[in-house]
Amino acid sequence: MDTGLIILIVLGVIVLGLIMIYNRLVALRQTRNNAFSDIDVQLKQRFDLIPNLVETVKGYATHEQSVFENVTQARAQVGRTSGAGTDRIQAEGMLGSALMGLFAVAENYPQLKADQNFQRLQAELSDIENKIAAARRFFNSATNEYNTAIQQFPANLMAGMFGFHNEEFFELDPAQQQAVRNAPPEVKFGG
């Protein structure tokens, strides 16, 4: 076999391998972006629900102004961010913490807890939070696969050249993790 032909075949195999690695990294990055889109839909529903929830609580807990301001500021911060970047993830974490403060206030007002509108909003928010948790698990799994792929040899040699870098996970902040650990299990009997 001619030496020139062998060199050409080896170069062809190398180029083909590089193309396959690049395409895999692009596919993994796209999967991560799609996973965040699923979270984004749920976060938008939570974002839209908050004004109704705050107004309902305000009707009963008029002396809790700092809690309402925290929720309003956290919601405004979320409104100024977009995408799956660090700023958005931190803003969503702050909003989740502010909402927990709002529900902690509600515990001090039995009439509020018995209010049908508040119960409906609370149930709706709980449903959205469960969907966010499920979507977040898928997003973090996609992020883990993407981060692993760009750190493995030989993809790590190409990743930096083409702008692939480690991405952040969507995790609860420490206050939210503690609240989830302390939350009593929800028990329902009948319909």
Side-chain angles (χ1 to χ4, degrees):
M1 190 180 267
D2 186 17
T3 306
L5 183 61
I6 292 173
I7 291 173
L8 196 60
I9 290 173
V10 169
L11 286 176
V13 168
I14 290 172
V15 168
L16 185 63
L18 293 175
I19 291 171
M20 290 174 59
I21 290 169
Y22 179 81
N23 286 341
R24 181 168 187 266
L25 294 178
V26 168
L28 290 173
R29 182 171 57 193
Q30 191 59 35
T31 298
R32 181 183 181 272
N33 291 339
N34 287 342
F36 191 80
S37 295
D38 292 342
I39 294 175
D40 204 28
V41 169
Q42 303 304 322
L43 293 175
K44 175 77 170 103
Q45 287 180 350
R46 180 174 78 171
F47 184 83
D48 292 342
L49 183 69
I50 290 172
N52 291 337
L53 188 60
V54 168
E55 287 303 316
T56 301
V57 175
K58 268 185 181 176
Y60 290 91
T62 56
H63 302 295
E64 307 288 351
Q65 196 60 33
S66 65
V67 173
F68 302 131
E69 288 173 3
N70 287 342
V71 172
T72 302
Q73 288 174 356
R75 185 175 182 269
Q77 182 65 30
V78 167
R80 289 190 289 268
T81 60
S82 63
T86 303
D87 293 341
R88 174 77 183 274
I89 290 172
Q90 287 177 348
E92 292 291 346
M94 287 175 41
L95 182 58
S97 296
L99 285 174
M100 281 186 245
L102 185 71
F103 283 114
V105 164
E107 291 294 319
N108 297 329
Y109 297 89
Q111 290 179 333
L112 171 61
K113 287 173 52 178
D115 183 279
Q116 294 285 327
N117 191 32
F118 178 74
Q119 289 178 355
R120 183 187 57 78
L121 291 170
Q122 191 176 24
E124 195 172 332
L125 186 62
S126 177
D127 182 51
I128 291 170
E129 292 292 340
N130 288 336
K131 290 176 182 174
I132 290 172
R136 187 175 48 231
R137 282 191 295 272
F138 180 68
F139 173 78
N140 284 340
S141 175
T143 300
N144 183 49
E145 188 175 357
Y146 172 77
N147 286 343
T148 300
I150 65 171
Q151 292 172 9
Q152 291 176 328
F153 182 80
N156 62 345
L157 300 175
M158 291 181 54
M161 289 188 306
F162 292 104
F164 296 98
H165 52 82
N166 277 332
E167 296 290 351
E168 191 168 326
F169 292 93
F170 195 139
E171 297 175 323
L172 298 175
D173 67 22
Q176 287 179 303
Q177 289 176 359
Q178 187 63 36
V180 168
R181 276 188 230 114
N182 294 338
E186 186 176 333
V187 179
K188 291 183 178 176
F189 297 100

